[in-house]
Amino acid sequence: MYGFINSCMQSLVMEKFGQETWDKLSSLPGVPDSFMTYTVYDDVLTVSLVQEASSLLDVSAEVLLKLFGEHFFAFCKKAGYDTMLRTLGGNLTEFIGNLDSLHSYLALSYEQMNAPSFRVEMTDDGKMLLHYYSDRKGLYHIVPGIMEAVAKDIFDSEVTMTIVNQSEEDERTGKKEHVVFLVKQTNHVNHRGEALPGTMMERCVPLAGEKHRLDLTGAVVPSDQGSLLCTFSPCYPNKLWVDEKAFCNAFPFHIVFDENLKVMQTGVNIQKFLPGLHARDLTVDQHFTIIHPQVTFTIESIRKFVNSQFVLKSNKDKHSSLKLRGQMLWMESLGCMLYLCSPKLRSLQELQDVGLHLADLAQHDVTRDLVLLNQQRLAEMELTNQLERKKEELRVLSRHLEAEKEKTDTLLYAMLPRHIANQLKDGKSIEAGEFEVCTILFSDVVTFTDICAACEPIHIVHMLNSMYSKFDRLTSIHDIYKVETIGDAYMVVGGVPVPMVTHAHRVANFALGMRIAAREVTNPVTGTPIQIRVGLHTGPVLAGVVGEKMPRYCLFGDTVNTASRMESHGLPDHIHLSTSTYSILKDAGFNIQERGPIEVKGKGLMTTYFLLGNPLVSEECIMGREVGGTCLYGEDLQLHRRTESVKEPDVRTDTVGRDTPPDPSRESTPPFAWDISPPYETKESCNTSGRSHISRLCVLF
C-alpha cells in the first residue's frame, strides 16, 4: 500500500488514542516514524500495524478497521479530495458505482495502486447489495465505516450494512475476496417528521411511472404551486443518423464483439495498431486481457460489471502493450457488446512507448488534455517526493543532532553547574556569587607518594579511577557538588552552587561513605585496602568561573584553606572536623569525638574533632544501597512534593529529617541531579546564620 494509507492509520491512532500509543507502535521493528505519501510499503506492514494496534488498545480488529474506515473518509477530505468525492454521484448508489472510476483516475498518480473494486446490485425486491472485491483478505470491515461516513456527510442519511455472503471469488482470476453487503439507507427527517429525499433523482422516481430510474435524465422545472417537479423523459430517434465511417473515425478505439467474443467492428486506430484484429473467427480475448475489473473474459462476467470502467491490455508486446480504458455497453437488440474506449496513458513518455501520437486521439477525447495535465502532475509529484525525502532526512539528522547535543551537554554539566553552563552557552558573563555558609571537604590518599614511586603509572590511574568513580556516585546520592580532583586530592562542597540548610549533614554522610568506599579499593603495592584522610570545614565562600579556555567553577576564601588544613592535619582513615562544622553536627545525631587543641599551619591553635559515624543511618543507606526506604534528607522529600505541584525551582530551606530512611530511587539518580537551570541570587539565599562572615579571599590551593 502507498504511504497515504499508513499515514491515515498513524493519524487515526494519534487523534483517537494519543501520541504515546503511536510511539509504542512506531517502536516496533520495521515501522518508520513517519510515512511518505507516494512511497509503496509492503502490505504486511499495514496488516501488522492493525494487529498490533488492536492488541495494544484491547479492541477487536473488526472494530478498529471500521473506525479506520470512518477516519479514512475524513482524512481524504483533509487531503484535498472533498470536492472530488462530493461530485461522484447524486446518491449513494451512483457514488459507489463511480468509485472504480475514481480509483482509475488516482492510478495516474499512484501507478502501483491495487485498489478494491465495488459493484452495486439491485434485487427484484428493491434491496441494494454492495459487492466488495479485493486482493487483500480480512480488510472488508473498512467498507461499512467508509460508507456510513459518506452517507452521513454527503447524503444526510444513515446507513446500516450487514454481511450476507462471504466467499472466495470465483468470478475473478486468482484467489480474491468477495464480500456482499446488504445496504439499508434511512434518510434524515425534517422538522415535520418527513423523510428528506437524498437527491433530485429520488424526487423524480415516483413520477416516472413504470420507467426505469436509470433511463431518466433529470431536468427540473417549477410547477404552478412553486414546487420542483421532474418533467423530462428522453426521446430516441427511429433511425441512427451516423455514418459507419464517421462513427469509426469519431471513436477510433472502439470495439464491438458478440456473445462469443467474436470481433464485429473496430475503430480505425485500433486497426492500425492491431492489423490482424479483423481476421476471420478472431475473438477479442485472443488480443486483449482484462486488467480491471479482474473478471473472466466472458459476456456473462462482463455484464455483471457493466457499470464499471474496464481496462484492457493488448497481448502484442510486453514492452509496447497498449492499454485501453472505457465503458462496456450491452446492445440487447444486436446481442453485442460495445466497448467505447481510449488509450490509458499517464504521460507523454507512455504515449511514445506504445507508438502513438496526440493526433491519434480523437479531438473530443479528454485523454489529450489528461496526458498533458498529468505530465505536469507527475513532475509535481516527483518534486513532492523529493521534498518528503529531504524532510525525512532532516528529521533523522535533527534527531541525531539532538542526541549528540545531549552528550555534549552531559559532558559540559560534568565540568560546570548546570545553570552556570547554560549562561555560558547563551554568551552571558558569569559574575561571582557569595555564599554565606557552606561545608567544604578535602581528601587524599595516605602514602600516595610512596605508592607512585613503587608502581607503574597505569596502576595508579586504575586505582584513582576506581576510587573516584565510587566517590562520584556518592555525590549524586547526597546531592553535593564535586569541585576538583588534583592527583589524589578530592574536593567537594555542600551548599554551593545550590544553597541548602543540610549542607553539613550531606557532606558528613558523604565523608562516611568515602571511608567505606575507599576500603573497596586495593593498594597496588601492598594489595591491602587504601586509606584516606578527610577534612571538613564550614564557612563563607565566593564562587565563580575562572578562565576562558577550559573554564572551571572555583571556590575562593579562607574557608577553602581551612578545609584543606583539616585534611592535611588529619589522621589516616579519620574524618577531621573543624569547630564550625562540629557546631552544626553536634545535635544532629552524629557520633563525634573531640580531638582537642592542635597547632594548625597558618591558623594557630584550633580545637578539632573526629567524625566517627552516624548511628541513626545504616551503612547501606549512606552508600545508597538500601531498598524500600524514603528520602535521606527531609528537604529532598519536601522539594519533591513542591516539584510535583509547582514546576518552578526554589531554594531549599527545609530542615533535615534524621529519622527517615533513604529513598532507594536516589541510587539510580542520574549524574548531576543537583543541577538546576535557573541561577540563584546567592547573596540572598540560605541566610542561616545571624553572624556576619568576613572572608579573606585566596585562590584555591
Side-chain angles (χ1 to χ4, degrees), residues 282-388:
L282 185 68
T283 57
V284 68
D285 59 335
Q286 292 179 277
H287 276 274
F288 291 95
T289 303
I290 299 178
I291 303 300
H292 182 273
Q294 294 181 359
V295 297
T296 54
F297 216 138
T298 63
I299 287 293
E300 293 76 12
S301 297
I302 293 174
R303 290 189 64 179
K304 286 184 179 181
F305 290 83
V306 74
N307 290 326
S308 300
Q309 187 178 77
F310 276 74
V311 178
L312 271 59
K313 179 181 178 181
S314 69
N315 302 327
K316 178 182 178 183
D317 188 353
K318 293 183 179 180
H319 300 289
S320 61
S321 297
L322 175 65
K323 290 183 180 179
L324 300 176
R325 176 181 59 192
Q327 178 183 8
M328 293 285 186
L329 295 172
W330 175 248
M331 297 179 291
E332 188 68 38
S333 60
L334 300 178
C336 292
M337 185 73 71
L338 168 63
Y339 181 40
L340 201 58
C341 59
S342 58
K344 184 180 184 232
L345 303 168
R346 297 181 68 247
S347 63
L348 295 175
Q349 183 61 46
E350 288 188 7
L351 185 73
Q352 293 178 334
D353 291 342
V354 297
L356 293 175
H357 301 84
L358 288 176
D360 295 323
L361 305 177
Q363 294 290 338
H364 63 82
D365 195 345
V366 295
T367 305
R368 283 171 165 260
D369 299 327
L370 189 60
V371 170
L372 295 175
L373 290 174
N374 201 55
Q375 184 72 26
Q376 181 179 359
R377 167 67 174 160
L378 292 175
E380 293 174 353
M381 285 175 51
E382 180 59 29
L383 180 60
T384 301
N385 274 329
Q386 293 179 10
L387 291 175
E388 286 189 345

Side-chain angles (χ1 to χ4, degrees), residues 109-340:
S109 300
Y110 301 90
E111 184 177 7
Q112 300 182 48
M113 183 175 69
N114 184 13
S117 181
F118 298 89
R119 178 169 67 90
V120 176
E121 177 186 355
M122 302 303 297
T123 61
D124 295 336
D125 54 359
K127 295 181 179 179
M128 182 170 74
L129 300 179
L130 170 59
H131 293 258
Y132 164 81
Y133 304 88
S134 177
D135 292 333
R136 303 178 180 92
K137 299 189 66 175
L139 300 181
Y140 57 89
H141 295 285
I142 296 176
V143 179
I146 295 177
M147 295 306 165
E148 289 177 10
V150 168
K152 183 177 181 180
D153 186 88
I154 299 180
F155 302 110
D156 196 27
S157 60
E158 298 290 338
V159 162
T160 57
M161 299 179 63
T162 55
I163 298 176
V164 296
N165 188 22
Q166 180 180 357
S167 63
E168 292 289 333
E169 175 57 38
D170 56 359
E171 297 172 338
R172 308 177 71 187
T173 58
K175 294 182 178 180
K176 314 298 178 183
E177 186 168 60
H178 177 201
V179 181
V180 183
F181 296 91
L182 174 63
V183 182
K184 295 182 180 179
Q185 184 178 12
T186 304
N187 293 327
H188 290 164
V189 297
N190 58 20
H191 65 280
R192 295 188 300 272
E194 300 172 343
L196 297 175
T199 65
M200 185 59 61
M201 181 67 74
E202 294 178 5
R203 303 179 187 182
C204 299
V205 167
L207 304 175
E210 299 299 323
K211 291 184 177 290
H212 193 278
R213 64 182 302 165
L214 295 181
D215 293 334
L216 292 174
T217 304
V220 181
V221 297
S223 67
D224 295 338
Q225 290 77 20
S227 61
L228 297 178
L229 296 175
C230 180
T231 60
F232 176 79
S233 59
C235 178
Y236 299 105
N238 296 325
K239 176 183 178 182
L240 186 62
W241 293 88
V242 178
D243 180 74
E244 289 83 353
K245 291 183 179 180
F247 186 87
C248 290
N249 286 321
F251 301 99
F253 289 95
H254 79 276
I255 305 175
V256 177
F257 52 93
D258 63 9
E259 295 179 343
N260 298 319
L261 304 182
K262 181 180 178 181
V263 178
M264 308 300 294
Q265 176 181 314
T266 60
V268 294
N269 285 342
I270 284 191
Q271 299 175 29
K272 181 171 62 175
F273 191 82
L274 298 172
L277 196 58
H278 273 290
R280 186 174 181 180
D281 297 329
L282 185 68
T283 57
V284 68
D285 59 335
Q286 292 179 277
H287 276 274
F288 291 95
T289 303
I290 299 178
I291 303 300
H292 182 273
Q294 294 181 359
V295 297
T296 54
F297 216 138
T298 63
I299 287 293
E300 293 76 12
S301 297
I302 293 174
R303 290 189 64 179
K304 286 184 179 181
F305 290 83
V306 74
N307 290 326
S308 300
Q309 187 178 77
F310 276 74
V311 178
L312 271 59
K313 179 181 178 181
S314 69
N315 302 327
K316 178 182 178 183
D317 188 353
K318 293 183 179 180
H319 300 289
S320 61
S321 297
L322 175 65
K323 290 183 180 179
L324 300 176
R325 176 181 59 192
Q327 178 183 8
M328 293 285 186
L329 295 172
W330 175 248
M331 297 179 291
E332 188 68 38
S333 60
L334 300 178
C336 292
M337 185 73 71
L338 168 63
Y339 181 40
L340 201 58

